[in-house]
Structures are given as C-alpha cells and as structure tokens.
Amino acid sequence: MTSTHAFWLAGRQATGEATLDVTSPWDGRLVGQVSVPTEAQVEEAVAAAYAVRDEFAATPAHVRAAALDHVSRRLVERTEEIAQLISAENGKPVKWARGEVGRAVSVFRFAAEEARRFNGGETQRLDTDAGGQGRLALTRRFPKGVVLGIAPFNFPLNLCAHKIAPAIAVGAPIILKPAPATPLSGLIIGELLAETELPAGSWSVLPVPNDKMPALVQDERLPVISFTGSDKVGFAIMDSVPRKHCTLELGGNGAAVVLGDFASEKDLDWAATRIATFSNYQGGQSCISVQRVIADASVHDRLVPKIVAAVEAQVTGDPSDNATDVGPLVSEDAAKRVEAWVDEAVQAGATLLAGGKRDGASYAPTVLADVPADSTIACEEVFGPVLTIRKVDGEAEAFAAANDSKYGLQAGVFTHDVQTAFRAHRALEVGGVIIGDVPSYRADQMPYGGAKQSGVGREGVAFAMDDYTYERVLVLTGLAL
C-alpha cells in the first residue's frame, strides 16, 4: 500500500482531509499520494508566516546560512534517492534528474554564501553639498514581506530551491506551492528544512490545487510573488495584484543562431550535437530548450543533416534507464498538444525531417523545416521535443529572425568572433545571450529571466534576494567625517 506524504505547515508535518495521486508519466503507476491542506490549514500557514516575519528578518545570518548549508549537504547525501523520485513523478530521464539534484545542491550552497555577506550595508557621504555636512547615509536591504513561491513541474526540485533558498537567505518567510503533478520533490526540501533551527512559521510547503491559488495570490499578507510557469498564467497573476511585487519567469522560444564563421566540420558537429541534445533534454520541457535553429545560408545545407542525425541518435524510452536521453512528457495531454501543433505545421506546408510520432505521453524527437511563420509551433512555446530550422542570409537577418518572437528568454549564438558576440549582446531582445553554445545553458548563480513576454525580474540566488528585499536608508548626523 502506498503511504500518504504529509505536507509541511509552518515547519511541521501535517495532513489534510483529501489526497492527491502522483502518477508516473511513463507507465501510469502510482508514485505516491500527497495529503492536500484544507483551507483552514492554508490560513494557518499564512498567518504563521506573517506573524514571524519580523523575527525571521532579524535572525542572525549564521543561523540562516547554517540551515541552507545543511539542506545542501543533505541533498548530496540523498542524491540518488531524490533523482529516482524526480524521474518517477516527472518522467525525466534519471541522468538528467541527477543533474537537477546537483544544481539544487549548488543553489542552497550559493544561498548560504550570500546570506553570510548579505546586507553589510553601503555608506555614502552626504557632505558633497553644504546641507549634508556631518551626515552619512547607510543603506541596507530589508525583506518586503512573506514570499509566495509558485513552482512548475519541469524542474520539480531545483525550481523549488530557487524560490525557497533566496527567501531564507534574506530572512523572508515563504509559502511554497509545488506543481500538483510533481509535489514530492518539493516536500523533500521541507523534510530537510525541518532538520534545521529555522523559526517555526518561516516556511511551509503546501501542495495546494491550482484552483485554490487565486486566494493565495490575492492575500495581502503575501506581498511578494515568485512564479515560474506559462506567460498566460503569470501575467494574469500580475494583472490581478498590480500593487504586489511579482517576479515572473515565463515561457521561451529559444533560438540557436549558427553564423557563417562557425563553419568547420568540427564546429558544425559541435553545434548539431548541442542543438539535438538541448532541444530534447527534459523532453523539451524547458523554457530555454532549443526550439528554433536559425542557420546562415553558407552553413545551412551542411548543418541540417548533422542535426537530423544527432536528433535521431537520441535514445528514447524508460526514464529510469541510465541510457535514456528522452523520456515522456509530463502527461499524455501534453504529448497530444505537441502532436497537434506538429500536424498543423505539416498540413500548412512544413517539411518533417525527423520524428513526428506520439506513443502515449511520449513524443519522438522531431525536426521541422519550411515552417510557416504563422503556424502555432512557430509562434508559441512548444514545450516538447521539437525544433524548427530556418535558413537566413547573414548576421542581420539572423538576429532579426531570432527577435521575431513575442518571447525573449535566452538565445545561443554559434560564432568565434568576439565583435559579433558583442553585437549579439546588443541586438538580441533576450535576458541572456550564450556565445558558442545553445540558449539552454544556465548557471544557477547568474541572473536569469527574460524580456518581452518571457517575464519580469530575475532569478539566480543573489538577484532573487534583491527582488525579495528593498533598500532602506539610515542617515547619521553630527559626524566628523
């Protein structure tokens, strides 16, 4: 019999009246049952977080840092167990799941380091004008209040870590809502936090159904919202609470631009391998997966067969198998949507170069060429193992093509020229430009977020800490400066 996983309410385990089944996208087996909090229990968690906010903000840095260090160490100790859990509830190949655990280890370690140096304060002499003689300004940062963190299914551990760790680092209480499809990984973080000395009420992990989320979003005791998910839901949240601070990490339509100077066989082999891998990793369910390849005409005809061959070499199948590169999507409905978009593009004139077949929740790694510009798959985030290839003539046309999207999360530019790299940095309307690689690269300490409809604000531990806090100035007078 499957045991029911308790949730974490104000730092302690609790159970509600209903349960949620968590099933494997690969074979439909029951992975676990999660207890769902009642409305009264959600209220208790929010009230506790609000009540403890001043105490938590004043917690010594070493206490917060020690808790974050503890979680980081414990994740290392339980890496294989947690990776298997991620793979089971998410369908992610276990080799990618191990990488996700490693990234979460780093996120908590980075947060511990930042907690120790955070808020040292910046001083500013004010006697640069006569009216400021003898005065010194000291600026420090303080939490804006309780954070509501809303995490997605595609990185069920690491994106929970990106909500929780920066909040603890600055002393902001947090209510974490993991994705209903993948709540078990977030509950593991709660299990590790419960082993620390953090104040009761400073954190909760609540697997609240999506239809209960609006009430949490509207709650005035939760002035900061950190959301990762679709642009439709993210902007609906922001529009519904215009006076709250919202950090939104939303969708993408990642472009990999291959320019004419990236032309040797070695160059094109590298580009093709990276493009094939990162259009399909996580089943393409990453906001920065490669969805569009924009290739200069001078390399296009040599690059395309290399990409197709590399895509067809991706090993699909059971996500628990160490050899598997591409597992299922999160659900059969998600795979059916991808199938419909590909079929629509083909019927409109696109050429299918590889893949294009669905088996339950799995969709074969797919390559399309000649995709009509107005087709859904050209305009929207596919969030599946599909890439499109477009031929362009020169750098200017390539950058214009990359910008021809409502999204602007990250872009990859394959070039050897440093001047081109700086032009790309200036020209591309995205949150990050990766030179010599795909747009899918992310280091968890770097600023991460997008332009246009890809979001507002930045994640990356230190940058999220800034988002969760505000500056407060102290002016000292009568000083002999």
Side-chain angles (χ1 to χ4, degrees):
M1 178 175 290
T2 302
S3 61
T4 299
H5 296 261
F7 53 84
W8 295 93
L9 193 167
R12 72 178 193 279
Q13 281 190 310
T15 56
E17 298 170 355
T19 60
L20 170 70
D21 287 348
V22 181
T23 58
S24 165
W26 170 246
D27 57 14
R29 68 185 171 88
L30 183 65
V31 177
Q33 285 186 324
V34 172
S35 185
V36 177
T38 64
E39 290 186 10
Q41 288 171 320
V42 172
E43 166 59 28
E44 183 182 349
V46 173
Y50 187 75
V52 81
R53 68 194 189 285
D54 291 338
E55 176 192 343
F56 194 35
T59 302
H62 71 87
V63 173
R64 288 178 275 120
L68 293 162
D69 271 332
H70 174 82
V71 175
S72 182
R73 289 193 302 270
R74 294 285 283 132
L75 287 170
V76 172
E77 293 169 1
R78 297 177 63 178
T79 292
E80 188 60 26
E81 169 202 348
I82 298 171
Q84 295 290 343
L85 178 65
I86 292 171
S87 182
E89 70 171 343
N90 172 274
K92 180 176 301 190
V94 70
K95 68 180 182 181
W96 291 112
R98 292 187 187 104
E100 180 175 348
V101 178
R103 289 181 61 187
V105 168
S106 296
V107 168
F108 278 98
R109 187 182 74 249
F110 294 151
E113 294 166 355
E114 293 293 344
R116 291 185 175 95
R117 55 179 167 253
F118 179 70
N119 224 354
E122 296 183 5
T123 59
Q124 182 182 17
R125 292 181 65 134
L126 301 180
D127 61 354
T128 50
D129 287 320
Q133 186 166 333
R135 295 176 184 257
L136 182 76
L138 173 64
T139 302
R140 297 165 62 202
R141 301 189 70 90
F142 294 86
K144 293 172 180 173
V146 183
V147 176
L148 171 60
I150 305 170
F153 72 81
N154 57 330
F155 289 86
L157 181 76
N158 195 41
L159 292 183
C160 287
H162 270 286
K163 309 301 181 191
I164 291 175
I168 291 173
V170 301
I174 181 165
I175 306 291
L176 177 76
K177 179 198 173 304
T182 56
L184 299 174
S185 301
L187 293 173
I188 286 284
I189 296 178
E191 186 178 333
L192 303 183
L193 286 172
E195 299 170 352
T196 72
E197 300 299 321
L198 293 176
S202 60
W203 59 274
S204 293
V205 182
L206 304 179
V208 178
N210 285 341
D211 62 359
K212 302 296 183 182
M213 187 172 71
L216 277 171
V217 168
Q218 292 291 332
D219 197 306
E220 294 183 355
R221 295 167 295 179
L222 308 176
V224 179
I225 298 174
S226 178
F227 171 84
T228 301
S230 73
D231 56 323
K232 180 180 178 180
V233 175
F235 285 119
I237 288 173
M238 176 176 279
D239 291 344
S240 72
V241 285
R243 290 178 175 81
K244 289 194 177 190
H245 179 89
C246 294
T247 299
L248 306 178
E249 197 279 284
L250 307 177
N253 190 343
V257 178
V258 185
L259 295 177
D261 71 301
F262 213 81
S264 72
E265 291 302 311
K266 181 179 179 181
D267 286 342
L268 296 181
D269 286 343
W270 164 258
T273 299
R274 298 294 285 177
I275 288 166
T277 298
F278 288 98
S279 65
N280 294 294
Y281 86 126
Q282 329 285 343
Q285 297 169 122
S286 168
C287 297
I288 47 176
S289 68
V290 182
Q291 184 170 334
R292 297 180 292 153
V293 178
I294 298 166
D296 188 86
S298 65
V299 298
H300 174 274
D301 291 351
R302 293 162 54 215
L303 176 64
V304 170
K306 291 177 182 289
I307 290 176
V308 171
V311 167
E312 291 178 337
Q314 295 286 301
V315 177
T316 62
D318 186 343
S320 67
D321 188 333
N322 286 319
T324 298
D325 299 312
V326 186
L329 275 71
V330 72
S331 67
E332 186 169 358
D333 283 346
K336 286 180 177 178
R337 178 189 54 76
V338 173
E339 179 182 42
W341 288 13
V342 171
D343 290 348
E344 175 199 62
V346 171
Q347 291 167 12
T351 302
L352 183 66
L353 301 180
K357 296 186 182 300
R358 180 181 67 83
D359 180 9
S362 296
Y363 195 80
T366 297
V367 183
L368 295 169
D370 311 311
V371 177
D374 61 350
S375 64
T376 305
I377 211 160
C379 302
E380 301 293 337
E381 179 182 35
V382 65
F383 227 58
V386 180
L387 64 85
T388 66
I389 302 178
R390 174 178 174 181
K391 182 192 295 187
V392 294
D393 188 10
E395 175 188 307
E397 187 176 336
F399 291 169
N403 285 336
D404 186 19
S405 172
K406 66 181 180 180
Y407 298 110
L409 192 48
Q410 293 197 159
V413 180
F414 288 89
T415 181
H416 295 295
D417 187 84
V418 69
Q419 296 289 356
T420 301
F422 276 90
R423 287 195 297 272
H425 196 205
R426 179 180 294 276
L428 295 176
E429 299 164 350
V430 294
V433 178
I434 315 300
I435 300 299
D437 206 352
V438 291
S440 316
Y441 175 79
R442 178 185 180 184
D444 292 284
Q445 70 270 39
M446 78 184 200
Y448 177 75
K452 299 188 282 190
Q453 292 190 37
S454 284
V456 178
R458 292 293 180 267
E459 289 194 338
V461 175
F463 302 91
M465 290 167 68
D466 282 346
D467 252 3
Y468 293 171
T469 56
Y470 71 99
E471 301 92 340
R472 187 185 298 166
V473 67
L474 174 71
V475 176
L476 304 173
T477 63
L479 301 179
L481 296 176

